[in-house]
Amino acid sequence: MSPRTCARLILALVTLIAAGCRDMYEQPKGDPLESSSLFDNGMLARPLVEGVVPRGALRDHSPYYTGRDQNQLVVQAPVPVTHDLLKRGQERYNIFCAPCHNQNGDGQGMIVLRGFKMPPSFHDERMRAVPDGHIFDVITHGFGTMYPYAQRVPVADRWAIVAYIRALQLSQHATLDDVPPQVRQELIQRQNESVPPADSPLPSQFPPVEEVRDE
Amino acid sequence: MAQVFYPSANTIARVTLMSLPIAIIVIVIAVRTASESDYVTGVNFAVDQPVEFSHEHHVAGLGIDCRYCHTSVEDSPFAGIPPTETCMTCHSQIWSDAPMLQPVRTSWETGQPLRWNRVHDLPDFAFFDHSIHIARGVGCVTCHGRVDQMPLMWKSQTLFMQWCLDCHRDPYPHIRPREAVFDMNWTPADNPEAQVALQAAHANIRTEGLTNCSACHR
């Protein structure tokens, strides 16, 4: 074997070993949000062409998707308000809204304390009087310095947040008479024993919300 | 003709022969140690980014939930890197002329996305789904470490197959109740109630298929 053949063999072997090491790690396929030289803005993921409706996802003009009924903001959320919906709304509110609006809805959230323009408190008269559709509309399209949250909060969660904000508003203006009898006893007992309230603003025996809303 | 081998050649030959296996062992250990070192795996090395984003500040300092930015982590394989819009939600008002955030503003004005450098990059032949891990009670911290203590982002785990399998063989020590998944500080409470909650979370996991090849290579 000439030295030249020998060198070629060694080179081939090294190439094979090196190739066997990594090439399956990076396969010629796109991971989510990977970059690509194929398109001008360098993104592999393509946005939908404007006006395209994915099959089965027609956002028609129903109050559920727009918060409006014949151009009027709906007064009441077009979803059944259940305990589960409120729990979901509480979770989503604390993720997406509480940074500015604060966990109790007074508009003194952490980001506001750091200098963001203060939003109105949910507990002032004007905010208590707005229709449910208004809150839905603001989450969807933003308002003033607040950016739209349509990309971050899906429609079902927006209605859950609306319901929870209503519960928050009620919580700041409720009297003992609004509390269902079985919970009332517990509250009075707690007050007498001055036991701090539980962590969750929603007691486990929270009454069906339809009852609460009618007041 | 002079003598080719001196008597000392015997000793040299013996020592060489005997040290050969030792040398092989040393080389093997050295290669293994090197390949598992932080330098090679990238563990504990902060990755350069176009903007020096601090999870420590946003998570521990401001109390922002993981899901505010990583919106798809609960219902898709990919946790989601926030679009520039998410940054601008606050930074259109706060630190709106900080030089550090110039790339964010440029991206917002031009529509060119920020090019973050990936910190946790699994090989393309491994299938991974965030949503199922969240649903079954694997905390963010379990794989990503104390993100709330990272001023810059780095890997806290090797992401080796061995490491995945450690948990897939026996998930119990690594899971938590569903509501504690996003909690950075959570540690298993030492009371019977917490144990019951953990048992319930564990009962939720079908362990028998977890070590099948096709669980992760599909």
Side-chain angles (χ1 to χ4, degrees), chain B residues 38-60:
Chain B
D38 289 355
Y39 183 75
V40 172
T41 60
V43 171
N44 296 330
F45 276 78
V47 178
D48 280 341
Q49 301 290 359
V51 180
E52 290 171 328
F53 177 84
S54 167
H55 276 87
E56 183 183 43
H57 168 65
H58 289 84
V59 179

